[in-house]
Amino acid sequence: MTQSSNEMWTVTIVVPEGSSLDEAGETYDLEVGTDETILATARSAGVWLPADCQQGWCTTCAARLVDGDVVHPNARRYYDEDDEAGYILPCTAKPRTDTTIVVDQHDDFLEFRAANDRPPGNSKLNG
Ligand code: FES
């Protein structure tokens, strides 16, 4: 029988003041397991972050990594330049350290993807 890791990390979720989410201006500290996604844990805790595909594909959930480290083992499209620019997809992101993110970054991330000639970039911006 394999034993999965039960390591837990503190993920601090910052919802910007200007966000259209009900949680605008709030900050949440959540305990997220190594095998759990930030999005699923947040929703279980009643923090209803934006998401659509939940497969690391649509970019609706995009957030900025302010501090810490996450992995995206199941994201359908997540690029090295996303990582280098500090963008994450909380629907598939799993923490590897204590981590702080700023959520509700979809618009900025679409611009970033378009500028890097990556999907959904221009197709969503112009569609
Ligand atoms: S909800 Fe689609 S990429 Fe995260």
Side-chain angles (χ1 to χ4, degrees):
M1 193 168 101
T2 53
Q3 195 174 358
S4 71
S5 168
N6 60 357
E7 219 162 353
M8 301 292 284
W9 305 106
T10 301
V11 176
T12 301
I13 295 175
V14 178
V15 186
E17 289 281 354
S19 171
S20 59
L21 302 178
D22 290 347
E23 295 88 346
E26 301 287 340
T27 297
Y28 303 90
D29 283 333
L30 303 175
E31 294 300 304
V32 184
T34 293
D35 294 329
E36 297 166 350
T37 68
I38 294 172
L39 178 79
T41 304
R43 286 191 165 184
S44 295
V47 182
W48 203 254
L49 301 181
D52 189 2
C53 72
Q54 301 192 34
Q55 298 178 39
W57 176 257
C58 69
T59 70
T60 301
C61 65
R64 274 215 179 258
L65 183 70
V66 175
D67 191 27
D69 189 26
V70 305
V71 293
H72 293 81
N74 302 316
R76 291 185 58 197
R77 56 184 180 200
Y78 182 76
Y79 303 105
D80 288 346
E81 58 259 45
D82 301 340
D83 186 42
E84 286 160 13
Y87 284 107
I88 70 163
L89 298 173
C91 67
T92 49
K94 299 177 178 183
R96 289 296 175 268
T97 63
D98 289 344
T99 290
T100 299
I101 66 171
V102 179
V103 298
D104 197 18
Q105 301 296 305
H106 185 222
D107 291 347
D108 287 350
F109 192 49
L110 274 184
E111 300 271 2
F112 173 81
R113 281 274 180 93
N116 284 277
D117 207 18
R118 294 287 198 184
N122 283 321
S123 63
K124 271 204 182 172
L125 283 174
N126 300 328

